[in-house]
Amino acid sequence: MLAALILATACTHHDKVDPLRRSRVDGINKEAFLNRYRDPQLCIALADSALAYIADSLPVYDDGVLRALNNKAFAYFQTTRYPEALAIVEQIEKGTADLKSPNADIELVIARLLKARLLQRSGNIADSYRLLYDIERSHTLARSRQNLLYNYAQSEYYITSLVLNYHYRNDSEDDIRSLLEEVESRRSDLRVDFAQDMALNYALAYGWQTAGESLTALDYCDANLDILDLPDAFCNYHYANTLQMMASALKSTPGAVPPDSVLALYDEARMRFADYGDPYQMLGGVTSTARYALLIGDTAKAHSVLAEWRNDRGSWKPFAAPKMELGYFDVLLRSRMASTPDEARRWYEHHSELQDYVNAAGREDFALQQTLESATRSGRWKTVFIITLSIVAAVLATLLVLLLLASSRLRREKRQLEAANRRDVERIANVETALSVMRHDISPFVGYLSNPQLPADLREEVVGKLVHTFDNLKQWTSLSLPQGMAFNAAEFPLQGVMDEVERQVPAPADGVALRFTPSKLRLWGDRALVVILLRNLVGNALKHTTEGSVTVDAGCDEDGKMIHLRVTDTGSGMTADQQEQLFRADRTLPEGSEHGFGLILCRYIVRRHDDHTRRGCRIWVESTEGKGTTMHVILAAPAES
């Protein structure tokens, strides 16, 4: 049936598609996509609805067919209905060659990435890697398209590669770190939706944990918990994955939390997987919990978890996931809970069969790596160059049209999604941030003013600083509260901002030079907020510089899309701990630090600009204690007309 539906839509053009009916199909497919993790059964039902509507009322909409099929295949994968998922993938592989859909190549890549995951689960590591290698060599994902579907395909490629390298293979640490750094460098280009952000965070956490960076892994888990707190973002699947990853990272960080707390995380993840209903993840949760319980000597807990699973599951039934099942039987054998010698022997036989299968798959994968490395050394750069030229020449005209049509639609959809989800979240976050920083910044001033012997000139200076702190607080809350200051985006010259800041900041101390390097660059954003941002950075630099200079300069990146502002001083500098906590209102600020609302406000202004541009706006610090500090800010340049 699927093949017939695909073939029925072949050799058609999108200019024949009724726009209203197409819109209805796109809406159903989008709803299915958004439920792919949260409710796979609903995703399947919606995909079937889209396919039925196309068959009855819109038999020329190729893109709609492919999107519905890929949604359905992914939902089957999430519910461990592997044969059904594979059947759909194979239908897509057979049917896309004759389609005139502009997204056929990307949808084919998405289907093959799912096939790679199916092969991983079945232990067929060599064929899975060969698929990923072929996708990379096809350069389909190397063509800049700036649309949601392309971002999703790239994100799925990285997630699938991370899962393969860290769960099924034993690559060198250099290879692991190289892939992790590549993914992180592309992260700002891979935004799709909350679910995809969480899936990529989890894959990165897994990778850094495997590379021995448990604290970095925990940072990505924290990022997922932040997303899960957002309205409509909660999902048992991602929540359980995050808890299990946190437990694994904490287990590798001795003394971070008590063993009982780590076990509680494993157990909560196990129960969440059970609520979700994915047998693959359920088995993983049981195995992880029982393994850690045995590790800390809680044999009773391990036996309880294993017995509960066996009672619910009944006799052993393969999941077609040999490596997961191998771990399960390893824990069963080490638990010594077999009731009879015959039962223990059966467990051992299953374990041996699985171990032989996994070892054979590993040997096949190793042989493939040797072959591919040899082929790469014999002239890979020539092949890549020729393929790239031919592909670029063939699709350049199509890409230009797609970029114009898709970029405006993507920006509109993202803005609507962000606006809908940010209001309630920020109301809580801003109150917490305000309370944390207010206590730090205002307490010293109150202490000074309570001293009746404080000289009048010093009292005046303290009052001035207190007024400045309240001014920053007023500006920040006006900016950040959902009903507060609007973001007035426009193009404006940087030099005008510098001139205004130079007039507003206090005069430097004797022996300190304040220099603004002239600039002809132009920015895109809210000019008033950029003035506040730069004024706070310069004022903070002057406050901590008693001799030398404070310099403000700017440059742009190679493609002219981003502006890099720098405020450099020769002041007191900061320790590594102070730098780490500089922009974080959720931690206790270092004793004696004067970095409070001013820098929290700067961070928030940069974040507001990134929310509106989605181009990687950010702020960071470089500092050496006793030698000075450089504050870096990346903002967007005006888009080319």
Side-chain angles (χ1 to χ4, degrees):
M1 176 180 176
L2 296 177
L5 185 57
I6 292 178
L7 292 175
T9 63
C11 302
T12 60
H13 300 278
H14 283 273
D15 56 4
K16 299 179 181 178
V17 177
D18 181 277
L20 292 178
R21 294 179 179 179
R22 172 178 175 172
S23 176
R24 177 172 177 179
V25 173
D26 289 345
I28 298 172
N29 279 336
K30 183 175 181 180
E31 187 178 356
F33 179 79
L34 294 175
N35 280 282
R36 65 195 185 281
Y37 282 107
R38 185 199 300 270
D39 191 345
Q41 296 299 339
L42 176 59
C43 179
I44 293 169
L46 289 167
D48 284 337
S49 176
L51 291 170
Y53 184 82
I54 293 171
D56 291 341
S57 306
L58 203 66
V60 294
Y61 190 20
D62 306 340
D63 278 349
V65 172
L66 293 175
R67 187 85 298 271
L69 292 178
N70 264 325
N71 280 336
K72 189 173 182 179
F74 190 90
Y76 278 151
F77 173 77
Q78 284 297 109
T79 53
T80 62
R81 295 168 66 177
Y82 299 151
E84 293 97 324
L86 183 59
I88 294 178
V89 169
E90 290 176 347
Q91 295 288 355
I92 292 174
E93 287 181 319
K94 294 175 183 177
T96 53
D98 297 325
L99 294 183
K100 302 301 181 182
S101 161
N103 291 326
D105 56 344
I106 293 295
E107 293 285 11
L108 179 59
V109 165
I110 292 170
R112 286 178 171 168
L113 287 170
L114 182 59
K115 186 176 183 178
R117 288 209 209 179
L118 289 165
L119 291 168
Q120 290 169 16
R121 292 255 177 118
S122 69
N124 195 340
I125 310 307
D127 284 346
S128 176
Y129 185 82
R130 188 178 288 108
L131 258 181
L132 292 176
Y133 179 79
D134 289 343
I135 290 170
E136 181 185 11
R137 291 290 297 271
S138 74
H139 300 283
T140 303
L141 295 179
R143 310 164 195 165
S144 179
R145 297 198 181 188
Q146 293 186 8
N147 65 39
L148 196 65
L149 192 62
Y150 174 68
N151 291 350
Y152 174 64
Q154 281 196 313
S155 178
E156 281 295 290
Y157 172 78
Y158 283 123
I159 291 171
T160 307
S161 298
L162 288 167
V163 170
L164 173 64
N165 279 277
Y166 307 138
H167 194 64
Y168 298 98
R169 306 179 71 200
N170 296 311
D171 279 359
S172 69
E173 185 170 327
D174 287 344
D175 292 338
I176 291 174
R177 289 181 177 273
S178 175
L179 181 56
L180 285 166
E181 290 166 2
E182 179 183 347
V183 177
E184 290 191 330
S185 70
R186 300 291 308 280
R187 184 62 190 273
S188 62
D189 300 326
L190 302 177
R191 293 182 177 177
V192 178
D193 65 354
F194 291 138
Q196 203 66 14
D197 281 348
M198 286 187 277
L200 193 54
N201 281 341
Y202 176 76
L204 285 164
Y206 204 146
W208 284 115
Q209 168 67 9
T210 306
E213 299 284 351
S214 297
L215 294 179
T216 305
L218 286 171
D219 285 342
Y220 280 108
C221 292
D222 287 341
N224 267 4
L225 293 178
D226 289 342
I227 296 174
L228 287 162
D229 282 339
L230 297 175
D232 299 323
F234 186 79
C235 171
N236 256 329
Y237 176 84
H238 285 304
Y239 184 57
N241 260 340
T242 301
L243 292 182
Q244 189 166 270
M245 186 68 250
M246 289 181 69
S248 177
L250 290 169
K251 181 180 69 175
S252 306
T253 312
V257 296
D260 287 348
S261 298
V262 176
L263 181 59
L265 284 174
Y266 274 123
D267 206 33
E268 176 68 12
R270 175 183 68 87
M271 290 186 288
R272 293 287 184 171
F273 281 134
D275 291 340
Y276 186 72
D278 177 351
Y280 177 87
Q281 300 292 352
M282 291 165 67
L283 180 61
V286 168
T287 302
S288 298
T289 305
R291 180 186 290 116
Y292 186 72
L294 291 175
L295 179 66
I296 64 174
D298 194 344
T299 305
K301 178 63 176 179
H303 284 187
S304 172
V305 169
L306 291 169
E308 180 183 344
W309 168 258
R310 296 179 66 216
N311 289 337
D312 291 341
R313 180 69 180 170
S315 59
W316 175 62
K317 299 176 182 178
F319 289 94
K323 195 154 189 178
M324 180 71 78
E325 294 158 22
L326 178 64
Y328 169 68
F329 278 103
D330 178 68
V331 171
L332 270 182
L333 289 169
R334 290 194 290 113
S335 71
R336 299 183 179 180
M337 62 180 291
S339 57
T340 65
D342 284 344
E343 186 175 39
R345 187 184 70 255
R346 287 196 302 272
W347 292 352
Y348 180 77
E349 289 172 352
H350 287 316
H351 183 274
S352 297
E353 291 171 1
L354 290 165
Q355 187 68 68
D356 289 344
Y357 184 90
V358 170
N359 289 342
R363 288 191 295 271
E364 184 179 352
D365 180 44
F366 178 78
L368 173 64
Q369 298 309 307
Q370 298 297 106
T371 301
L372 293 179
E373 287 175 10
S374 176
T376 300
R377 287 192 297 267
S378 68
R380 176 181 179 182
W381 70 269
K382 293 182 180 178
T383 303
V384 170
F385 181 73
I386 293 171
I387 292 175
T388 302
L389 283 181
S390 62
I391 292 175
V392 168
V395 303
L396 184 57
T398 304
L399 286 176
L400 290 175
V401 174
L402 288 175
L403 282 172
L404 292 173
L405 294 176
S407 60
S408 60
R409 184 181 65 201
L410 176 59
R411 285 195 296 269
R412 183 173 62 255
E413 290 179 355
K414 283 189 176 180
R415 290 189 189 117
Q416 292 171 349
L417 182 62
E418 290 159 3
N421 288 282
R422 191 169 52 235
R423 288 190 292 271
D424 292 337
V425 178
E426 290 186 352
R427 185 176 290 109
I428 298 172
N430 292 332
V431 171
E432 293 177 347
T433 301
L435 291 175
S436 173
V437 185
M438 186 186 299
R439 179 182 178 277
H440 174 269
D441 277 18
I442 295 176
S443 294
F445 299 140
V446 174
Y448 291 143
L449 295 175
S450 300
N451 183 359
Q453 299 178 352
L454 188 69
D457 58 340
L458 185 55
R459 180 179 296 273
E460 183 178 350
E461 180 183 349
V462 171
V463 170
K465 290 184 177 181
L466 188 57
V467 169
H468 178 71
T469 296
F470 276 109
D471 183 54
N472 269 331
L473 172 60
K474 181 183 71 173
Q475 292 170 340
W476 181 67
T477 53
S478 295
L479 167 68
S480 60
L481 288 175
Q483 69 274 21
M485 186 184 299
F487 187 91
N488 299 311
E491 178 182 343
F492 56 90
L494 175 59
Q495 186 61 49
V497 172
M498 289 184 173
D499 294 341
E500 186 170 342
V501 170
E502 188 172 11
R503 292 192 297 270
Q504 292 181 7
V505 295
D510 292 340
V512 177
L514 174 59
R515 303 187 185 95
F516 286 82
T517 304
S519 175
K520 295 182 180 180
L521 298 173
R522 299 181 70 81
L523 290 171
W524 189 94
D526 189 313
R527 186 184 186 281
L529 298 186
V530 176
V531 170
I532 296 171
L533 166 69
L534 189 56
R535 184 181 69 205
N536 275 300
L537 293 180
V538 174
N540 200 60
L542 290 171
K543 187 184 340 180
H544 292 83
T545 305
T546 58
E547 59 180 3
S549 64
V550 173
T551 303
V552 180
D553 68 318
C556 62
D557 58 9
E558 292 181 359
D559 57 11
K561 293 183 178 179
M562 305 301 292
I563 303 299
H564 186 174
L565 287 170
R566 292 175 291 271
V567 179
T568 304
D569 65 61
T570 58
S572 56
M574 287 176 274
T575 65
D577 289 341
Q578 287 173 324
Q579 294 177 53
E580 181 183 353
Q581 301 188 47
L582 191 61
F583 299 104
R584 299 184 62 173
D586 60 332
R587 293 187 179 181
T588 302
L589 294 171
E591 190 66 32
S593 169
E594 297 182 12
H595 305 294
F597 272 118
L599 290 179
I600 297 298
L601 177 59
C602 291
R603 179 198 65 177
Y604 198 87
I605 289 172
V606 173
R607 182 173 140 201
R608 284 293 295 272
H609 278 76
D610 188 51
D611 286 343
H612 283 79
T613 63
R614 288 297 194 188
R615 284 163 64 181
C617 300
R618 57 194 180 103
I619 183 171
W620 76 97
V621 61
E622 291 180 349
S623 184
T624 303
E625 190 174 12
K627 294 185 179 181
T629 298
T630 298
M631 301 297 301
H632 299 269
V633 178
I634 301 293
L635 296 175
E640 294 181 2
S641 58

